[in-house]
Amino acid sequence: MSGGGFGVRWKLHGDGRVPAPGAVVRPDERLSWPRTAGLGAQHVVAMFGASFVAPVLMGLDPNLAIMMSGVATMLFLLATRGRVPSYLGCSLSFVGVAAIIRAQGGGSAAVTGAILVVGAALLVAGFAVQRFGARIIHAAMPPVVTGAVVMLIGFNLAPVTASTYWPQDQWTALLTMLFTGLAVVCMRGFWSRIAIFLGLVFGYVASWVLDSVLGKIHSPDGSGKTVDHWRLDLSGVGEADWFGLPSLHAPSFSWSAILVALPVVIALIAENAGHVKAVGEMTGDPLDDKLGTAIAADGAGTMLSTAVGGPATTTYSENIGVMAATRVYSTAAYWAAACFALLFGLCPKFGAVVAAIPGGVLGGITVILYGMIGLLGAQIWINNGVDLRNPLNLVPVAAGIIIGIGGVSLKFTDTFELSGIALGTIVVLSGYHVLRALAPPHLKAQTPLLDEGTSGYDDEAEEPEGSGRPGRPGQPEK
């Protein structure tokens, strides 16, 4: 690949129209530019659902979020020299963090400041993986820990749905939840990948129809006051300009907010490792040497976004799914998607449409979305054969999850306390390692397996001969 080694030039694949039967378009190849632009638009649609839900749920500017996702994607593609085709959308992992920080009296600046520090930690972690290899991920965060942290991050959000969004319009929330569930399960291919987006569109239209037929609803509004209000208020859309810069703000930093946010770095490392491994397997190009770079680039993208008031960014499985469906892995399509995202970010009217999403619609979406995030933690346990019958695994996980979900707090002074996600993560992480150091040998007999997506990055991590374990549970022998 040419282009100064940054992966910004591509060879034309075949005739530039469609891949040959059984062939794939590799990252350093492209189809014709019109087709590449079309694929870029498809990637934008795939990331839209979660990328504008995330800032709305966090109280941040969706226009800025979409625009910075494009900028972060460009940075990621440059950092990985065009070898890792991936889109950096807005991370949903920080929604619970934002809710906790705002409940403690923090504003948008405190939210973005805390997430910026997490981005810096992710950047350092990426450099460490690049220097020492993925084994350090295994040593510090075995699957039992990673799965528990992901689980409590998702389930910690349950009260937000139950007390904030769902009560605004319970029947629209119920209809949206049912439609979204059907879309996720029953639709196929690309449509199933954008089921969340389709659910939002359905709820949007349903709210408009109910307003037209039934008039205003008497329920809590976004501020929590029970009043008569329209389900769908489009007054801000008409007032918004077609073109303009999104609102920017500088971050602010406080220890209490930072400590709430820091545990999310564990989920982001596991998420990035899994995505890089998946892309490597799909493209047939082992990306062992790019894992650390990808993690660091994600951290840098998050720092860049939050420095101007945007949310965190992360690699998106929705876009990986689009690649799997189209068999087009060209990074040129991701550059096109990033350019489209920049254009959307410069349209305030688009942001006003997003900001007008009714609370009841968000209630129906988040019931499924937050649960799915939490259950990804259980999937990590299953993929890695974590044995919860072993008290070494069970005790710290049980304690940490209840603390994280229940909002248990530990007060140190009048101005500083640990609770929820932060305290739960500390209990799981420190509890596991302390108990492992003190546990009798028979409880430590089974060496923890690597996180999903990292087992191929260190030759020494392979199972020794005679171990009796030819592969990970649920995976075929190679």
Side-chain angles (χ1 to χ4, degrees), residues 191-436:
W191 296 107
S192 68
R193 298 289 177 184
I194 61 169
I196 299 296
F197 174 76
L198 295 177
L200 286 169
V201 172
F202 170 85
Y204 214 99
V205 174
S207 296
W208 176 79
V209 171
L210 290 173
D211 278 343
S212 301
V213 175
L214 301 177
K216 292 184 177 181
I217 184 174
H218 185 74
S219 69
D221 60 9
S223 65
K225 296 180 180 179
T226 301
V227 296
D228 291 329
H229 62 94
W230 295 109
R231 297 167 180 83
L232 177 62
D233 183 3
L234 296 175
S235 59
V237 177
E239 299 171 359
D241 296 327
W242 280 102
F243 180 81
L245 288 173
S247 57
L248 310 178
H249 70 257
S252 65
F253 304 94
S254 69
W255 277 111
S256 59
I258 291 170
L259 288 173
V260 168
L262 270 177
V264 181
V265 75
I266 296 176
L268 295 180
I269 291 173
E271 188 174 60
N272 273 274
H275 286 179
V276 170
K277 179 65 174 178
V279 171
E281 290 178 349
M282 287 194 303
T283 61
D285 177 20
L287 298 173
D288 308 25
D289 58 322
K290 288 298 180 183
L291 175 60
T293 303
I295 293 174
D298 189 4
T302 292
M303 293 177 67
L304 183 62
S305 176
T306 52
V308 296
T313 61
T314 189
T315 53
Y316 257 30
S317 58
E318 290 91 337
N319 297 92
I320 293 175
V322 171
M323 288 192 296
T326 61
R327 299 176 66 81
V328 178
Y329 307 117
S330 172
T331 53
Y334 282 101
W335 277 97
C339 291
F340 283 132
L342 285 175
L343 293 176
F344 275 116
L346 295 173
C347 180
K349 196 170 287 292
F350 160 77
V353 171
V354 174
I357 296 173
V361 176
L362 293 176
I365 292 291
T366 54
V367 163
I368 294 176
L369 195 60
Y370 293 168
M372 290 171 64
I373 294 172
L375 290 175
L376 286 176
Q379 188 64 45
I380 291 174
W381 291 339
I382 294 170
N383 288 344
N384 293 278
V386 173
D387 183 6
L388 291 180
R389 296 170 299 179
N390 186 336
L392 175 58
N393 296 329
L394 180 62
V395 171
V397 165
I401 287 178
I402 291 299
I403 287 173
I405 296 174
V408 175
S409 62
L410 192 63
K411 189 172 183 179
F412 293 90
T413 68
D414 290 338
T415 58
F416 178 72
E417 68 177 58
L418 287 172
S419 63
I421 294 173
L423 183 58
T425 298
I426 291 172
V427 168
V428 173
L429 187 60
S430 62
Y432 174 81
H433 287 291
V434 169
L435 290 175
R436 184 170 180 81

Side-chain angles (χ1 to χ4, degrees), residues 5-298:
F6 288 99
V8 293
R9 291 185 181 176
W10 303 268
K11 298 174 291 186
L12 188 66
H13 176 88
D15 61 2
R17 295 182 178 179
V18 293
V24 299
V25 180
R26 298 181 58 78
D28 61 344
E29 297 178 329
R30 65 170 176 84
L31 298 177
S32 65
W33 284 116
R35 286 174 172 78
T36 296
L39 286 164
Q42 189 171 343
H43 278 297
V44 170
V45 172
M47 68 86 177
F48 250 25
S51 275
F52 68 58
V53 169
V56 169
L57 297 179
M58 296 171 66
L60 302 177
D61 184 353
N63 267 55
L64 180 60
I66 295 296
M67 187 175 78
M68 292 311 298
S69 76
V71 173
T73 297
M74 292 178 178
L75 175 64
F76 182 90
L77 295 172
L78 289 172
T80 57
R81 301 295 194 268
R83 283 187 59 198
V84 186
S86 192
Y87 193 90
L88 264 62
C90 306
S91 176
L92 282 160
S93 298
F94 291 93
V95 172
V97 167
I100 293 171
I101 293 174
R102 290 185 183 279
Q104 293 175 349
S108 295
V111 170
T112 52
I115 300 174
L116 190 151
V117 174
V118 175
L122 191 62
L123 178 68
V124 172
F127 289 148
V129 171
Q130 195 172 20
R131 173 65 178 84
F132 300 107
R135 180 164 286 275
I136 64 169
I137 298 177
H138 160 60
M141 297 178 297
V144 62
V145 170
T146 307
V149 173
V150 172
M151 181 173 287
L152 66 87
I153 287 173
F155 291 162
N156 178 265
L157 298 168
V160 177
T161 293
S163 61
T164 302
Y165 297 124
W166 190 279
Q168 292 185 41
D169 185 358
Q170 60 178 359
W171 296 112
T172 298
L174 180 62
L175 289 173
T176 303
M177 180 193 73
L178 293 174
F179 177 89
T180 305
L182 288 171
V184 171
V185 174
C186 299
M187 290 186 174
R188 296 289 182 268
F190 171 72
W191 296 107
S192 68
R193 298 289 177 184
I194 61 169
I196 299 296
F197 174 76
L198 295 177
L200 286 169
V201 172
F202 170 85
Y204 214 99
V205 174
S207 296
W208 176 79
V209 171
L210 290 173
D211 278 343
S212 301
V213 175
L214 301 177
K216 292 184 177 181
I217 184 174
H218 185 74
S219 69
D221 60 9
S223 65
K225 296 180 180 179
T226 301
V227 296
D228 291 329
H229 62 94
W230 295 109
R231 297 167 180 83
L232 177 62
D233 183 3
L234 296 175
S235 59
V237 177
E239 299 171 359
D241 296 327
W242 280 102
F243 180 81
L245 288 173
S247 57
L248 310 178
H249 70 257
S252 65
F253 304 94
S254 69
W255 277 111
S256 59
I258 291 170
L259 288 173
V260 168
L262 270 177
V264 181
V265 75
I266 296 176
L268 295 180
I269 291 173
E271 188 174 60
N272 273 274
H275 286 179
V276 170
K277 179 65 174 178
V279 171
E281 290 178 349
M282 287 194 303
T283 61
D285 177 20
L287 298 173
D288 308 25
D289 58 322
K290 288 298 180 183
L291 175 60
T293 303
I295 293 174
D298 189 4

